[in-house]
Amino acid sequence: MSSDATSSDIRPIARALLSVSDKTGLVPFAQALAAHGVELVSTGGTRKVLAEAGLSVRDVSDLTGFPEMMDGRVKTLHPNVHGGILAIRADAGHCASMKEHGIVPIDLVVVNLYPFEETVARGAGFDECVENIDIGGPAMIRAAAKNHHDVTVVVDPSAYETVLTEISTLGGTTGITRRKLAQAAYARTASYDGAIAGWFASVEGDAAPARRVFGGRLAEALRYGENPHQEAAFYVGGTPRAGVATARQLQGKALSYNNLNDTDAAFEAVAEFDPTRAPAVVIVKHANPCGVAEGPTLVEAYRKALACDPTSAFGGIVALNRTLDADAARAIVDIFTEVIVAPDATDEAIAIVGSKKNLRLLVTGALPNPRAGGLAVKSLAGGFLVQSRDNAVVDDMELKVVTKRAPTEAELADMAFAFRVAKHVKSNAIVYAKDLATVGIGAGQMSRVDSARIAARKALDAAGLAEPLTKGCVVASDAFFPFADGLITAIEAGATAVIQPGGSIRDADVIAAADAAGIAMVFTGVRHFRH
């Protein structure tokens, strides 16, 4: 017997009600219950599956005396079901009521819900989504969880083994297991209702509903959080999106909190670069890009990205917008890298990465859509902020030339490239770029002019004794230049063209400085703050 259990704590299971949408492992689980003498009661499709497997199973209508009706909307919402779940076995009054009304106890409730989230995710219409809102399921789950002193509730097939093990070894379930399962049950119904409420808000176009609920499913308990003294876990939920939540880890150590955070930042950034246009690589350190490039091949893009800031790239995350190939893999494993993430990888590339046993390799199956909607959440003391994703893409923006000199076609290509990168750099962000590669990145400074100086200094350091990489480059700023000093710093670094949102009360001064230097400048009208 478990050290956590006493004989008075164990609740035997004589009757189980099973009603599931996810039928993973259902038949073996039900067969094992039946082998232990448990009477099976079920509904609709679940009952059909069990009967076809040769199991003796009662229809829930045998308990209620009513058939399923209204296309299955009403089947378990009945006192004979809920009384059997909610009755406190040690309460004489409850037992008398059960006897008086012919209610039999239900000791195990196995329910998972209509696939509402999946229905929404595949773009189903309004009426179909509504029909996939489960009513009876959450009611039974909550009832069983409330009466967890006597009743075991299971909402996920992953718990089947635990329940069967305790029945086999102890003759019933323990109190600690029932409490854990009750917690999981309430978390599931809360998450489910949150998804429904969020969907209704989106359908109605309500960006600020009176209440917001977010839910997730545990993907992995992590060793620790951002720092070793912090506890952490990774949950998946919300709108499906290709990335760390969909990734398969092909090799390497377990991912840490910081690995996951940085990998997400890298993959979201590389998704800005259309793989049908050119191969692209993003290298990230501490959630900031430290090198980004497009090239004729992935390996060439990687080498260009690495040249931007090889010092920061050490121990970084490398994200690719195409299938990782052998040439790129060989180049990446030449220096210490924490994670490689790509939509896919060739067998040869996987073997090459395999030579570095601790290097994590993730494949996601796809790139996320940078134009897709969704919500971003940030916790605050006593609350949280919610906003729509920054899904503005420079290719969709109307660029306004505000200087006497218009940019050349080559400058325009580099400006769009740099602005894509700036979107993913912590504010204040300055990005120098040339030939579709970053040559200097200034991130996270309180002053924009300091970001411009740091980016220029990094470019100078990367060049060594050679000509600064920023000579003849373009510069992107995630927000407007509040004064001309930041722009002048970029001009002194060698920039010949500028892309920025515009909108400062001193725009005229900034434009005048650009004209005085003979450089081109365009306004996007879109800011990309990132904090």
Side-chain angles (χ1 to χ4, degrees):
M1 184 176 294
S2 166
S3 60
D4 295 317
T6 64
S7 58
S8 60
D9 185 43
I10 294 169
R11 294 293 179 268
I13 294 173
R15 185 173 294 103
L17 194 160
L18 304 96
S19 180
V20 297
S21 293
D22 179 0
K23 295 177 175 58
T24 303
L26 171 66
V27 170
F29 179 60
Q31 288 171 332
L33 291 175
H36 286 288
V38 178
E39 181 184 51
L40 306 179
V41 180
S42 192
T43 63
T46 304
R47 181 184 179 280
K48 181 180 178 182
V49 168
L50 297 178
E52 289 175 350
L55 288 162
S56 175
V57 53
R58 292 180 65 186
D59 193 288
V60 73
S61 61
D62 291 345
L63 300 186
T64 64
F66 281 85
E68 290 187 18
M69 60 183 70
M70 302 176 187
D71 300 318
R73 284 190 169 199
V74 179
K75 50 192 172 187
T76 60
L77 296 169
H78 192 279
N80 283 6
V81 173
H82 286 270
I85 296 171
L86 283 165
I88 299 172
R89 291 4 179 207
D91 186 301
H94 286 201
C95 292
S97 294
M98 291 176 71
K99 184 175 181 180
E100 179 183 356
H101 298 287
I103 299 172
V104 296
I106 297 170
D107 309 305
L108 171 64
V109 173
V110 182
V111 175
N112 53 61
L113 305 174
Y114 291 174
F116 174 80
E117 296 101 328
E118 293 84 351
T119 303
V120 171
R122 62 178 170 81
F126 183 88
D127 289 345
E128 185 179 354
C129 290
V130 169
E131 281 307 307
N132 275 277
I133 296 175
D134 204 329
I135 302 301
M140 290 189 291
I141 289 171
R142 290 175 58 83
K146 177 174 181 175
N147 201 25
H148 63 269
H149 184 77
D150 291 316
V151 178
T152 305
V153 59
V154 174
V155 296
D156 193 288
S158 63
Y160 291 170
E161 184 178 353
T162 297
V163 171
L164 289 177
T165 298
E166 291 198 352
I167 293 172
S168 299
T169 58
L170 304 174
T173 58
T174 61
I176 190 168
T177 293
R178 292 193 302 277
R179 287 190 294 275
K180 287 179 179 179
L181 292 174
Q183 184 278 328
Y186 281 123
R188 177 63 187 118
T189 56
S191 174
Y192 192 75
D193 285 342
I196 296 167
W199 173 74
F200 268 112
S202 67
V203 167
E204 296 303 315
D206 188 353
R211 290 185 182 273
R212 275 279 190 197
V213 181
F214 296 99
R217 177 178 54 81
L218 179 66
E220 186 178 2
L222 305 174
R223 285 181 60 202
Y224 53 80
E226 204 162 6
N227 300 291
H229 64 278
Q230 294 174 267
E231 296 179 341
F234 175 39
Y235 291 85
V236 296
T239 304
R241 186 169 177 81
V244 292
T246 65
R248 289 187 300 120
Q249 184 172 348
L250 301 185
Q251 74 144 63
K253 296 189 297 184
L255 290 157
S256 70
Y257 178 99
N258 292 326
N259 291 153
L260 288 163
N261 188 53
D262 289 353
T263 301
D264 179 69
F267 204 59
E268 287 289 329
V270 86
E272 299 284 343
F273 299 89
D274 185 351
T276 65
R277 182 179 60 235
V281 172
V282 173
I283 306 172
V284 158
K285 192 72 170 289
H286 293 298
N288 271 306
C290 60
V292 183
E294 289 183 332
T297 64
L298 282 174
V299 67
E300 290 172 273
Y302 172 72
R303 287 174 177 148
K304 288 169 68 178
L306 181 63
C308 177
D309 189 354
T311 300
S312 296
F314 186 84
I317 312 294
V318 177
L320 307 95
N321 71 342
R322 290 186 179 180
T323 297
L324 175 68
D325 58 33
D327 289 341
R330 287 190 193 95
I332 294 168
V333 300
D334 269 351
I335 70 167
F336 172 55
T337 301
E338 288 277 8
V339 180
I340 301 172
V341 59
D344 206 348
T346 67
D347 290 342
E348 190 177 0
I350 293 169
I352 291 166
V353 176
S355 67
K356 304 289 185 180
K357 66 177 183 179
N358 291 330
L359 172 55
R360 296 98 164 166
L361 175 58
L362 306 182
V363 294
T364 63
L367 286 169
N369 179 2
R371 294 178 174 84
L375 297 177
V377 183
K378 181 179 177 63
S379 64
L380 301 179
F384 51 87
L385 293 171
V386 180
Q387 65 175 347
S388 59
R389 287 186 65 255
D390 182 358
N391 61 354
V393 175
V394 67
D395 295 330
D396 304 332
M397 298 174 192
E398 185 176 344
L399 304 184
K400 180 182 179 182
V401 178
V402 295
T403 48
K404 295 175 182 177
R405 181 172 83 77
T408 66
E409 288 301 313
E411 286 174 329
L412 275 172
D414 278 342
M415 292 159 93
F417 173 91
F419 206 63
R420 286 188 194 95
V421 178
K423 175 181 174 180
H424 292 271
V425 177
K426 297 294 177 67
S427 300
N428 286 306
I430 293 290
V431 176
Y432 297 119
K434 184 178 181 181
D435 299 329
L436 303 179
T438 55
V439 293
I441 299 174
Q445 298 305 302
M446 291 70 75
S447 144
R448 192 158 300 278
V449 68
D450 283 344
S451 287
R453 289 169 179 156
I454 288 170
R457 180 67 205 190
K458 281 184 168 290
L460 194 63
D461 291 345
L465 297 176
E467 184 176 72
L469 300 175
T470 49
K471 187 173 182 180
C473 74
V474 306
V475 62
S477 176
D478 65 330
F480 62 65
F481 287 98
F483 302 96
D485 54 358
L487 176 65
I488 292 168
T489 298
I491 294 169
E492 291 171 346
T496 64
V498 183
I499 183 169
Q500 60 136 321
S504 168
I505 60 173
R506 296 182 180 84
D507 275 349
D509 295 342
V510 177
I511 294 169
D515 282 335
I519 71 167
M521 184 159 63
V522 302
F523 285 178
T524 66
V526 176
R527 189 178 73 184
H528 278 313
F529 267 169
R530 179 173 291 259
H531 297 106

